Amino acid sequence: YENKGRKVNINTATQTELETLSGIGPSTALKIVEYRKENGKFKTVEDLKNVSGIGEGKFEQIKDSIVVK
């Protein structure tokens, strides 16, 4: 499964969809899903940086590929 120019909605994406993002592996994708379960939907893409394992560098890599809806 490859992400062809479509932005990944981090509020609805499955773990598999999240793993299509650059630098996001299974464990980080799972953390994103778990974070969403515990804290509710992300309000902005920047909120993704609150997830353990996603720092400024990783966020910069994927920010153009993600969206919050």
Side-chain angles (χ1 to χ4, degrees), residues 14 17 32:
T14 62
E17 287 170 326
I32 295 169

Side-chain angles (χ1 to χ4, degrees), residues 31-41:
K31 284 181 192 164
I32 295 169
V33 172
E34 293 294 321
Y35 181 92
R36 218 166 46 199
K37 277 185 198 154
E38 288 169 26
N39 302 282
K41 294 194 167 183

Side-chain angles (χ1 to χ4, degrees), residues 8-11 42-45 66-69:
V8 174
N9 181 347
I10 56 174
N11 280 330
F42 294 101
K43 294 187 176 44
T44 68
V45 289
I66 58 176
V67 66
V68 166
K69 287 186 182 148

Side-chain angles (χ1 to χ4, degrees), residues 21-24 55-66:
L21 295 165
S22 174
I24 304 293
E56 195 63 48
K58 196 164 280 186
F59 177 75
E60 287 297 318
Q61 267 185 305
I62 63 173
K63 70 174 185 194
D64 295 330
S65 308
I66 58 176

